[in-house]
Amino acid sequence: MQKTLCNLLANYLPPCERTKFGYLCVEGMVFHIRCGDPNPNTGEIPMRELSVQPTHYKCPQSGTAMPVENPKVWVYQEDINQGSDIA
């Protein structure tokens, strides 16, 4: 499914030419695509909602792109400076 989603998004989004990290996605992000012809009576365009899930994340220690183990589970990094006073 993820490969299909990437192919679909590639048809709608411009290529990521200036970054090695690709597009930023957030938890709960969806992408709406057209899935048919407009209704001739109402003009309504049928849409399909696709969940956008991450494939990689930026490692806070090294800055490298690391693969996500399970794109359906969002992992939040603890703040490194948590508990320290900023003067």
Side-chain angles (χ1 to χ4, degrees):
M1 175 64 183
Q2 188 65 29
K3 202 64 147 171
T4 305
L5 176 60
C6 290
N7 293 338
L8 282 171
L9 292 177
N11 294 330
Y12 292 96
L13 299 173
C16 295
E17 296 174 348
R18 296 189 289 173
T19 177
K20 63 181 176 182
F21 296 108
Y23 285 100
L24 173 72
C25 66
V26 296
E27 187 173 11
M29 184 174 177
V30 293
F31 193 78
H32 298 272
I33 62 167
R34 183 177 171 168
C35 66
D37 295 327
N39 183 317
N41 297 327
T42 63
E44 181 180 7
I45 300 172
M47 302 295 279
R48 182 173 161 200
E49 190 174 87
L50 298 173
S51 174
V52 179
Q53 298 174 346
T55 57
H56 291 78
Y57 70 97
K58 185 176 179 181
C59 176
Q61 286 80 25
S62 66
T64 59
M66 303 293 290
V68 172
E69 291 179 19
N70 184 351
K72 294 181 181 181
V73 176
W74 284 76
V75 177
Y76 295 97
Q77 300 292 324
E78 292 292 322
D79 186 8
I80 295 171
N81 295 328
Q82 187 176 19
S84 66
D85 295 325
I86 299 175

